[in-house]
Amino acid sequence: MSTRRESQYPMQNSKRNRIQRWIVAGSGVAIFGYALVVVGSWGMCSWHMQSGSQALVKGDFELARVRLQVAESWSESDAGVQFLLARVERHREQFSEMESRLALAARMGWPEVSIARERILAEAQSGQPQQVAPRLSQLLDQAETSEEFGEICEAYVRGYKRQTDFARALQLLKSWESRQPLAGSPHLLRAAIRRELQQFPEAAEEFQLVLDRVPDQKEARLGLADVLLQQGLVGQAVPHFRRYLELEPDNLSALLGLADCLFGKGELDEAARLYDRALESDPELVSARRGIGRIALQEGRPEEALAWLKPAAKLAPYDTAIQYNLGLALRATGDLTAAAEYFEAVAERHGYMAQFKSLVDHIQRNSDDVSARYELGMLILEHFEPEKCLVWFQSVLLRAPHHEPTHRALSDYYGRTDQPELAAFHRTQLVWPKQNLAVE
């Protein structure tokens, strides 16, 4: 019966068969096209993920972030991409964003061991390395690659540096270098520590070692230029500032550094142009005001120099260069009494600087000397930029939580800076420890 019906409608049967073949063929093409899309998406995600990972290893965290975000756009459910983005955010010290990324990676199935380790590293890096110090040896032993070993060392070194525990930081850097002798990051971190300790020749050597490995490492380029300038080696610093400005044309630190170098070389017109350019970005910029005042003084216009330097001194009362040039300008205008006061203040400040360096050198050799750390904090509080005392006082309390002189100093500081809650907290610390001891 069916055969007869099919023979009665040969045209319809033929058409039906063609449509079926087209459907089958079309389905095959669609499946193939879908496969191409899937494979293509995976390939693009994989390529950008690898590129981001390489940028992360090189320390270019902004480039790593961009590459990994592109990878994420190709595959939003890739746990590895989320984990690497979390690591980037840790390096950028965006810890809340890091935690969000880690939570996503965990839900997507990334190993819990790696996620737990990243959280430990975040705690170390954020300035609490002592709290996770017992885990350090275990983490280093469990590191499967040199890159992971370096990640662990870097987080702890940054935490030790933040707590001014330079001895432990430098010791860990040696272990890192022994595992990764060609890596630039250990030299970059050691350079930052040396610069903070005002050991400028040693810092310059470390920055140069980084640039020997990665010529366009921007942080090392600017750091080297700065420490050369600090030593008065302006001729050597100029090409480094210029090279950095090719990479970051509007960077104010580089603009001002180059201007200071050109002033030191006597190229006053170009220096003035750079200072003016910096002031266009920030009219209150102390370094630029100081520079223009120095140029006016150099060119025999002391009254104009005073007009620039006096407001700058109010903005930066601890700037020795401003005080010294104010003294020169006042002497040039005949106000010898006022000039002598500034020169006396500068000489006194040089004495404080010598005391500062002596204490820092002592602490570097005796990292847990609480009395020296407290003395340095008080020196900074009374004779330098007061807010910079906090890191040293905090380092005291990290080692001696009930150190009364430190709590008293912090209570006074926060009271003067209109932070009543913090002031009250440190006042209570002067009472509660004694009560607790009496109860015990």
Side-chain angles (χ1 to χ4, degrees), residues 95 129 131 172 174 176 188 192 199-200 272 296 339 356 367 399 437:
F95 297 114
Q131 295 186 17
L172 186 53
K174 289 183 179 179
W176 185 0
L188 191 62
Q199 298 170 350
F200 299 127
F356 173 90
S367 185
R399 292 161 175 80
L437 288 171

Side-chain angles (χ1 to χ4, degrees), residues 43 47 70 74 101 103 173 220-221 269 298 370 373 379 384 392:
W47 186 88
V70 174
W74 283 100
R101 296 287 186 181
L173 283 171
R221 182 70 64 183
D269 289 341
Q298 188 84 1
V370 171
R373 287 176 174 273
L379 180 70
F384 294 89
W392 292 100

